[in-house]
Amino acid sequence: MNFCSNCGSKQISLKIPEGDSLPRFCCEQCGEIFYQNPKIVVGCLPVFEDKILMCKRAIEPRAGFWNLPAGYLENGETAEEGAIRETYEEAHAQVEIIRLHVLYSIPQFNQVYLHFLARMKSPDFSISTLESTEVRMFAYHEIPWQDIAFSSSTFAIEKFLEAKNSSYEGVHRGYFPGIPNR
Amino acid sequence: MNFCSNCGSKQISLKIPEGDSLPRFCCEQCGEIFYQNPKIVVGCLPVFEDKILMCKRAIEPRAGFWNLPAGYLENGETAEEGAIRETYEEAHAQVEIIRLHVLYSIPQFNQVYLHFLARMKSPDFSISTLESTEVRMFAYHEIPWQDIAFSSSTFAIEKFLEAKNSSYEGVHRGYFPGIPNR
Ligand SMILES: [Zn+2]
Ligand SMILES: [Zn+2]
């Protein structure tokens, strides 16, 4: 942050505003305070007849790796609407939400993932899209574990496979590997 | 947004960047794109021996109304850490997370609430704090339904009371009242 987006001043300092407890970018000219907060990544674990839909990423980061369809929640959307939209954009698949499956925080990157378990309304999808160089259904024994783009997808699929024969309907909570004592 | 926070230019336009599908604030001078995304509000439903801890808000909006302890997730935190921090800040109560209880979207305000069911480690709290003019434990029949600050708290407490004698461990998903077909 080099300039105040409100008044254009260059007098931006990183300091703790009065009554606050964390440093924020503050404009010394007009007094505006700029808060930066984590972003929400919403996605689905789309299932159809014992297979899971995954997308090979066309876009960096981690282009060429497989992932569950997911992306940033946009203003004006519910979490569920964002997850359904991302699944359509990345795979042209239409899903309905079954339940929230995973809550996964990556505090190092200021991200919180919400992955929904979702039922594909039909087996239709596109084998490639603007956002995915390849889209396919994987049987449970075919999951490309070594080529998954993000740890959030690995966690979501692991927990799905572990719990699929149990009656547990709760959310699986996880964190980016390597955070001690969390 | 009046000025580019990167280069200071006043040439900001709201347009759909190439390859994107939604309008964003874009700097015509340096090409920077400014994304705006929903914020995460994290909170707890703190319980101790059949009572629920609530806080009377000292701060607008909705000052003077009762609420579950909650606030914006900060960069560098997991969702759970944020919820524990907010409960401490607003009530000086120490809790441990039991599970994620509510996912509640307010797309009109670009917010997603995550409320955790939490156990108070002890019955200790402060009867007022910087953020709360009053803090108290409510028995289930004492909940101040008419004086609750936000619909997310009403939803979280309603679902808790409805489900407390069931074995359901899943998340209760909700939306701001009045959204049709969501
Ligand atoms: Zn300024
Ligand atoms: Zn610029």
Side-chain angles (χ1 to χ4, degrees), chain A residues 3-9 11-12 27-32 34:
Chain A
F3 295 87
C4 172
S5 60
N6 184 42
C7 77
S9 165
Q11 295 175 53
I12 303 292
C27 176
E28 302 290 351
Q29 197 69 37
C30 73
E32 188 83 10
F34 298 95

Side-chain angles (χ1 to χ4, degrees), chain B residues 3-12 26-32 34:
Chain B
F3 296 87
C4 172
S5 61
N6 184 42
C7 77
S9 165
K10 254 195 117 153
Q11 295 175 54
I12 304 291
C26 302
C27 177
E28 302 289 351
Q29 196 69 38
C30 73
E32 188 85 8
F34 298 95

